[in-house]
């Protein structure tokens, strides 16, 4: 009679091998792992091989797929290498000597070379980084070889370069509206959002920001991003004993050297200079306020 348990175990092993392969792009080491698994199955060690292959499959899936077009996934490749290496070590323990270290090293090297070749062939979109709190004409330009592609990558770069200890990233857009000649607008960037080829501005929260908005401050025919803290609705701003009555008095308190002529919403063009300044007027981390100064 056929051994249905053995057949089921073999099917499970093959399914897990397919699942592992689906998460990889460079598979020389995997093919060696697969060949070793199939060889051990032929030696009637199926039930001992199955938990090893299952664990490798689980660990690979936890790491996630490697996508060559997404640099943020590239660190997964080394994790995959380590998982397969451990799997081969565990398989060798079932039948010592089945593992060929020289062949394994060559397979790992081939995968590394193939990965490097593809990585080098992919175009890199240049990123320009401006400090929102210290705007200058010359941006920071991370080296192209770093291949920064997501907001998370850029934040790590800022931390490593000690440009900001608690950075948040905004994208600067040009020609979005007609309220100013430049028509600039800024949008907050989520951690996993791709930022390649975009003009970015960062704010260091360590400079005293937590709940803030970005204001478009227009002066001398220039649009400048100006982050300011915004009180939660129902809370007073600036001074609890003598809180600001509206946006006009708030600006007078925080920018005594600047005269604000007008304040309007970018989305609707509504005049809000005499409105109460809190999160009932603007959402935190939004850019919907344009002010004209002289």
């Amino acid at each position: 009679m056929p051994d249905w348990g053995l057949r089921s175990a073999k099917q499970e092993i093959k399914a897990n091998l397919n699942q592992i392969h689906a998460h990889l792009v460079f598979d020389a080491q995997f093919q060696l792992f697969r060949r070793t698994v199939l060889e051990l199955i032929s030696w009637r060690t199926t039930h001992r091989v199955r938990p090893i292959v299952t664990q490798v499959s689980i660990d690979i899936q936890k790491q996630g797929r490697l996508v060559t077009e997404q640099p943020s996934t590239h660190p997964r490749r080394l994790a995959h290498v380590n998982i397969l290496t451990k799997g081969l070590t565990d398989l060798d323990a079932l039948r010592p000597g089945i593992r060929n270290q020289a062949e394994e090293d060559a397979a790992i090297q081939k995968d590394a070379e193939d990965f490097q070749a593809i990585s080098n062939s992919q175009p890199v979109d240049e990123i320009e980084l401006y400090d929102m709190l210290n705007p200058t004409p010359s941006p920071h330009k991370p080296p192209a070889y770093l291949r920064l592609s997501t907001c998370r990558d850029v934040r790590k770069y800022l931390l490593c370069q000690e440009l900001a200890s608690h950075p948040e990233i905004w994208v600067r857009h040009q020609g979005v509206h007609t309220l100013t000649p430049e028509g600039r607008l800024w949008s907050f960037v989520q951690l996993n959002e791709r930022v390649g080829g975009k003009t970015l501005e960062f704010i260091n929260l360590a400079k005293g920001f937590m709940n803030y908005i970005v204001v478009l401050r227009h002066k001398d025919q220039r649009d400048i991003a100006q982050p300011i803290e915004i009180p939660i609705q129902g809370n007073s701003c600036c001074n609890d004993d003598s809180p600001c009555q509206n946006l006009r008095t708030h600006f007078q308190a925080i920018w005594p050297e600047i005269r604000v002529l007008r304040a309007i919403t970018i989305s609707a063009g509504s005049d809000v200079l005499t409105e109460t300044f809190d999160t009932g007027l603007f959402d935190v981390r939004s850019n919907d306020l344009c002010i004209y100064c002289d």
Side-chain angles (χ1 to χ4, degrees):
M1 293 181 63
D3 187 338
W4 297 109
L6 178 62
R7 180 175 296 181
S8 175
K10 288 182 176 180
Q11 289 174 344
E12 182 182 333
I13 288 172
K14 290 180 180 179
N16 276 318
L17 287 173
N18 290 336
Q19 190 65 248
I20 295 168
H21 198 198
H23 282 71
L24 308 176
V25 176
F26 312 98
D27 66 351
Q29 186 188 19
F30 166 76
Q31 293 300 342
L32 182 60
F33 176 80
R34 179 178 181 277
R35 192 184 74 198
T36 305
V37 167
L38 297 180
E39 186 175 342
L40 284 170
I41 288 176
S42 70
W43 285 91
R44 300 180 182 276
T45 55
T46 300
H47 291 292
R48 297 170 67 192
V49 169
R50 178 170 58 177
I52 296 174
V53 177
T54 298
Q55 190 60 53
V56 169
S57 179
I58 290 171
D59 292 343
I60 290 284
Q61 290 181 67
K62 281 182 180 178
Q63 290 297 322
R65 284 181 169 82
L66 172 66
V67 182
T68 56
E69 297 83 6
Q70 297 179 13
S72 61
T73 71
H74 289 182
R76 296 173 185 171
R77 195 190 74 80
L78 289 179
H80 293 164
V81 170
N82 292 334
I83 292 167
L84 287 170
T85 298
K86 184 180 184 304
L88 284 164
T89 301
D90 293 341
L91 292 174
D92 187 67
L94 300 182
R95 189 174 179 82
I98 197 171
R99 184 183 192 184
N100 185 320
Q101 190 62 57
E103 189 177 11
E104 184 178 341
D105 290 344
I108 293 173
Q109 181 63 29
K110 182 181 185 305
D111 285 344
E113 291 172 354
D114 291 346
F115 168 72
Q116 194 62 48
I118 288 183
S119 297
N120 291 340
S121 67
Q122 292 176 353
V124 178
D125 292 326
E126 187 177 70
I127 291 174
E128 293 187 340
L129 272 169
Y130 293 85
D131 185 346
M132 193 179 287
L133 299 176
N134 184 28
T136 60
S138 301
H140 300 280
K141 293 186 177 182
Y145 64 78
L146 293 178
R147 309 187 73 82
L148 306 182
S149 66
T150 66
C151 174
R152 189 186 302 274
D153 295 335
V154 173
R155 287 175 65 165
K156 288 180 180 178
Y157 170 80
L158 291 169
L159 287 168
C160 291
Q161 295 296 312
E162 298 184 349
L163 294 172
S165 56
H166 294 85
E168 288 192 339
I169 311 298
W170 292 69
V171 173
R172 180 203 297 170
H173 307 277
Q174 197 88 357
V176 178
H177 55 79
T178 58
L179 298 177
T180 64
E182 292 181 293
R184 286 185 177 178
L185 190 71
W186 290 263
S187 59
F188 182 75
V189 185
Q190 301 295 333
L191 270 180
N192 293 320
E193 189 173 337
R194 296 183 66 80
V195 294
K198 297 179 180 178
T199 300
L200 307 177
E201 297 196 28
F202 66 90
I203 176 173
N204 188 1
L205 299 187
K207 298 291 186 179
F209 294 93
M210 184 170 63
N211 298 313
Y212 69 96
I213 65 171
V214 171
V215 178
L216 189 172
R217 195 168 82 178
H218 183 71
K219 183 180 180 182
D220 299 330
Q221 298 301 305
R222 290 187 60 213
D223 288 352
I224 298 174
Q226 179 68 60
I228 59 172
E229 278 289 290
I230 184 169
I232 302 300
Q233 190 171 14
N235 294 347
S236 60
C237 60
C238 296
N239 189 326
D240 289 336
D241 296 328
S242 180
C244 299
Q245 298 301 310
N246 52 41
L247 214 59
R248 183 196 300 276
T249 54
H250 183 68
F251 287 144
Q252 288 173 346
I254 63 174
W255 299 327
E257 75 285 359
I258 295 175
R259 187 163 65 119
V260 176
L261 304 176
R262 194 180 182 204
I264 61 176
T265 60
I266 296 172
S267 58
S270 303
D271 192 321
V272 292
L273 193 57
T274 57
E275 298 288 332
T276 301
F277 180 61
D278 58 25
T279 53
L281 187 60
F282 298 110
D283 291 329
V284 172
R285 287 169 177 75
S286 66
N287 171 222
D288 192 34
L289 176 60
C290 172
I291 62 172
Y292 299 89
C293 310
D294 67 359

